Amino acid sequence: MVHPLILGLSVLWSAAAALGATYSQSDSHQGDGFYKSFNFQAISDPTNGRVNYVDMATAQADNLTYSSGDTFILRCDDTTVLSSSGPGRNSVRIQSNKQYLDHVAVFNIRHMPEGCATWPAVWEVGGDWPAGGEVDIVEGVNSQSPNQATLHTNPGCTMPSSRSQTGTSVNNNCDADVDNNAGCGVQAPSTNSFGPAFNSAGGGWYAMERTSSFIKVWFWSRSSSSVPSDVENGDTSIDTSNWGTPFAYFPGTSCSMTEYFDWANIVINLTLCGDWAGESSVFADAGCSDSCVDYVNENPSAFKNAYFDFQWLKIYE
């Protein structure tokens, strides 16, 4: 039998943990700082996209990444007509050199890739996937809003059907082996959280807090009047207890965060088509014509707006 005092302290500790905490800035990436803090992954796309991920030298030579002042651009090629028998469209996938455990990551993004076939993502992944866990912070396909934050894990991690968040849960089983690796996703409540509407508003801020007891994801549009000042200014210290209810809340009540999530790298990438964006019904439902692969091969100019523009990324621990 648990002593009432111990039980009471446990409840108070859990409540305090869920409310948030104060963190100090440990890393700040801006402009050419991304080149120093991230490595370029010239690998085969694990999601089977119609892309050819290039190394840093190629990305810089072909202007697929470039920086100036407080700007870092990451995009795909938008000039080359592809042969159906050749490699995919040149694009970029970068991964942080450092790994993080309990932390907060704040992304100040002015623009994200949009258009048919696009599948942009900002996420974190542990080693030996899915054993080390995956947290998708920004993700969507074919310009279809809203944004969806999702966890992908080993079997056994689930989310409660009711929890304190402003978004809408679309699946509560995080097991990567179930439902074609759909994971346990939560859709943001605002249409300007993703795609053209996000870009028209000048982008915004995404923040992810990860602790030993929960993971939370917030979004504030550039046009919002309720952006916390420490987020907007990229302060050297932040207090997540002042950020309000997240749009996605993943508590550890039936998913031990220390068991299912390991030290993680931050990944930013743009793939095209692939297992999600290129699935025929998904592509068609977005109002996109032809087959996804043919569209990518034959329409380079369709990808002129398929780029990320980061003002900065700041990490707090």
Side-chain angles (χ1 to χ4, degrees), residues 45 47-49 53 113 115-121 138-143 194 269-278 308:
D45 180 19
T47 62
N48 304 301
Y53 286 133
C116 288
T118 57
W119 181 357
V138 178
E139 188 177 29
V141 297
N142 303 318
S143 284
F194 190 82
N269 71 279
L270 169 59
T271 191
L272 304 172
C273 298
D275 299 336
W276 185 11
F308 277 111

Side-chain angles (χ1 to χ4, degrees), residues 162-177:
S162 177
R163 51 196 196 267
S164 181
Q165 60 184 24
T166 61
T168 303
S169 299
V170 292
N171 194 355
N172 291 321
N173 190 345
C174 310
D175 184 355
D177 292 329

Side-chain angles (χ1 to χ4, degrees), residues 108-119:
N108 187 343
I109 308 173
R110 296 189 185 98
H111 188 281
M112 68 170 66
E114 63 175 77
C116 288
T118 57
W119 181 357

Side-chain angles (χ1 to χ4, degrees), residues 69-291:
D70 65 355
T71 298
F72 178 74
I73 304 294
L74 183 155
R75 67 185 190 91
C76 69
D77 167 81
D78 63 356
T79 60
T80 308
V81 174
L82 305 179
S83 165
S84 60
S85 59
R89 187 164 300 285
N90 281 359
S91 190
V92 178
R93 171 176 165 138
I94 60 174
Q95 176 176 281
S96 65
N97 296 327
K98 285 185 64 175
Q99 293 183 315
Y100 302 93
L101 200 60
D102 292 354
H103 67 289
V104 176
V106 183
F107 302 83
N108 187 343
I109 308 173
R110 296 189 185 98
H111 188 281
M112 68 170 66
E114 63 175 77
C116 288
T118 57
W119 181 357
V122 176
W123 49 297
E124 295 192 358
V125 63
D128 191 26
W129 186 93
E134 174 181 335
V135 183
D136 299 323
I137 302 164
V138 178
E139 188 177 29
V141 297
N142 303 318
S143 284
Q144 297 301 287
S145 189
N147 179 69
Q148 181 170 307
T150 308
L151 306 186
H152 302 266
T153 68
N154 263 353
C157 172
T158 60
M159 291 295 127
S161 57
S162 177
R163 51 196 196 267
S164 181
Q165 60 184 24
T166 61
T168 303
S169 299
V170 292
N171 194 355
N172 291 321
N173 190 345
C174 310
D175 184 355
D177 292 329
V178 173
D179 297 328
N180 296 313
N181 187 28
C184 50
V186 178
Q187 293 184 337
S190 53
T191 57
N192 63 4
S193 61
F194 190 82
F198 175 91
N199 297 332
S200 295
W205 294 265
Y206 272 96
M208 188 279 297
E209 180 181 18
R210 175 183 161 187
T211 75
S212 60
S213 56
F214 64 79
I215 293 171
K216 296 179 179 180
V217 184
W218 290 264
F219 167 68
W220 301 274
S221 173
R222 192 82 57 191
S223 60
S224 172
S225 59
S226 60
V227 185
S229 60
D230 49 0
V231 170
E232 185 172 13
N233 299 325
D235 288 351
T236 54
S237 65
I238 56 172
D239 184 353
T240 59
S241 65
N242 296 324
W243 290 4
T245 304
F247 83 80
Y249 174 46
F250 303 101
T253 47
S254 54
C255 178
S256 168
M257 294 295 155
T258 55
E259 176 183 352
Y260 287 97
F261 295 89
D262 203 349
W263 290 86
N265 296 91
I266 299 169
V267 181
I268 302 167
N269 71 279
L270 169 59
T271 191
L272 304 172
C273 298
D275 299 336
W276 185 11
E279 200 278 322
S280 57
S281 61
V282 173
F283 193 67
D285 288 348
C288 303
S289 59
D290 303 320
S291 78

Side-chain angles (χ1 to χ4, degrees), residues 33-69:
F34 279 88
Y35 290 117
K36 303 169 186 174
S37 304
F38 283 76
N39 62 83
F40 284 63
Q41 296 188 297
I43 61 174
S44 297
D45 180 19
T47 62
N48 304 301
R50 184 65 177 141
V51 291
N52 176 48
Y53 286 133
V54 301
D55 58 22
M56 184 170 73
T58 304
Q60 290 178 312
D62 293 351
N63 227 27
L64 301 185
T65 59
Y66 55 92
S67 64
S68 63

